[in-house]
Amino acid sequence: MPKPLVDLPLTSLKNIRYVLTDFDDTLTLHGRLPSAALSALYRLEQAGIKVIPVTGGCAGWSDMMARVLPVAGVISEGGGVFLEPKSGVVHYHFLNAEAAMRTEQASLLATVQAELVHFPTLALAKDQAYRLTDVAIDYAQQVQPPAHQEKEALLAILRDKGLNAKASSIHINVCQSGVDKVVMARHVLTQFLQLSMAQAHQQVIYVGDAPNDESMFAEFPVSVGVANIAPHLTTLKHLPGYLTDAEGGEGFAQLADYLLCHQD
């Protein structure tokens, strides 16, 4: 099981130059961005530590993040597209050719809609119109109370069809084959930040809260879960190494404080 954050070795913290983090329920808390999390983002930037949100959120939402938050970019739609702010402009980098990904998205959407008729409690996410590569199904954002049983049933059906479907804390995200947070993270770290993966394993810390963060926990030796990941720990094959005491954005701020206190 994960260890308390205070057990994270100081020698590991001194090497960290990049924080990759989930957004919903990791930077946010109860659907809002706490002032502590926003302050933490600015303090990390001022210390020269680059932050890149890695989210299942839509490209439209991620465009706003890339423009207004102190971040070095946003990996969006579960790894389908990377938004890079540079010289006042946000550049979109798709994992595969954009036209092909848009065509495949339309096929995924048709498949998902055919299954949704059997799950009247669930619905396409309100941000589906602003997605460029994936399909998102709401089970705990607009849907209240959360429809956990229906979520699990639909996930099983989609996976039986061979679809790349994962659950976040609010959505089922159906990505294209081969698309994953960790695939795009590797691409961004090596192609845009010019790191080898050996360097990335020493210089990156990952923070998350949900099952769709599992591949990132597996990839990065220094990984942290915010406290609200606790209900998922018994079902994950790959766990974060450490846990914050606080939930969501307040847990992220706790990690930032701990990290910044132990930089050279």
Side-chain angles (χ1 to χ4, degrees):
M1 295 297 285
K3 298 177 182 179
L5 183 63
V6 293
D7 288 346
L8 206 167
L10 303 187
T11 52
S12 297
L13 289 173
K14 291 181 184 297
N15 295 324
I16 299 301
R17 295 295 178 267
Y18 304 90
V19 176
L20 274 57
T21 175
D22 180 57
F23 196 86
D24 288 304
D25 296 315
T26 300
L27 277 175
T28 65
L29 180 66
H30 308 309
R32 304 187 72 178
L33 184 66
S35 60
L38 183 59
S39 174
L41 291 174
Y42 277 103
R43 287 186 289 114
L44 289 166
E45 181 186 52
Q46 290 163 3
I49 296 174
K50 297 182 184 296
V51 178
I52 299 177
V54 184
T55 179
C58 69
W61 170 227
S62 299
D63 185 286
M64 184 279 297
M65 283 191 251
R67 293 180 192 277
V68 307
L69 295 180
V71 297
V74 183
I75 294 173
S76 184
E77 299 186 6
V81 59
F82 172 57
L83 284 70
E84 179 195 22
K86 191 174 182 179
S87 302
V89 176
V90 175
H91 301 271
Y92 283 57
H93 305 281
F94 290 81
L95 186 62
N96 300 312
E98 179 182 358
M101 293 194 82
R102 296 304 299 271
T103 298
E104 179 63 21
Q105 182 198 32
S107 176
L108 285 177
L109 182 59
T111 299
V112 167
Q113 287 178 314
E115 295 300 332
L116 274 178
V117 299
H118 306 297
F119 293 89
T121 306
L122 306 178
L124 290 175
K126 288 294 186 182
D127 67 6
Q128 183 61 48
Y130 312 108
R131 292 180 176 270
L132 301 177
T133 66
D134 73 338
V135 178
I137 302 154
D138 182 5
Y139 77 88
Q141 189 177 47
Q142 295 283 108
V143 176
Q144 293 296 330
H148 291 291
Q149 290 185 339
E150 293 87 342
K151 176 255 292 184
E152 291 297 332
L154 180 55
L155 261 178
I157 290 170
L158 296 174
R159 289 170 176 168
D160 284 346
K161 288 180 173 290
L163 298 183
N164 181 12
K166 300 181 180 72
S168 74
S169 58
I170 57 174
H171 293 157
I172 296 173
N173 296 101
V174 187
C175 296
Q176 298 178 30
S177 178
V179 173
D180 190 272
K181 287 184 174 185
V182 76
V183 174
M184 183 60 94
R186 290 174 186 148
H187 182 68
V188 170
L189 291 166
T190 58
Q191 300 303 309
F192 292 91
L193 299 176
Q194 305 303 310
L195 298 175
S196 68
M197 284 309 298
Q199 290 173 319
H201 289 160
Q202 292 184 327
Q203 296 181 31
V204 171
I205 191 168
Y206 184 72
V207 195
D209 76 296
N212 66 339
D213 296 308
E214 191 170 10
S215 65
M216 298 291 281
F217 295 145
E219 178 68 40
F220 295 103
V222 186
S223 63
V224 175
V226 287
N228 43 295
I229 198 174
H232 303 294
L233 293 178
T234 58
T235 62
L236 295 178
K237 293 180 181 178
H238 302 286
L239 300 175
Y242 303 90
L243 281 181
T244 65
D245 295 325
E247 296 186 347
E250 292 180 356
F252 179 87
Q254 179 189 1
L255 169 62
D257 288 341
Y258 194 63
L259 173 59
L260 291 170
C261 282
H262 297 97
Q263 290 287 294
D264 290 330

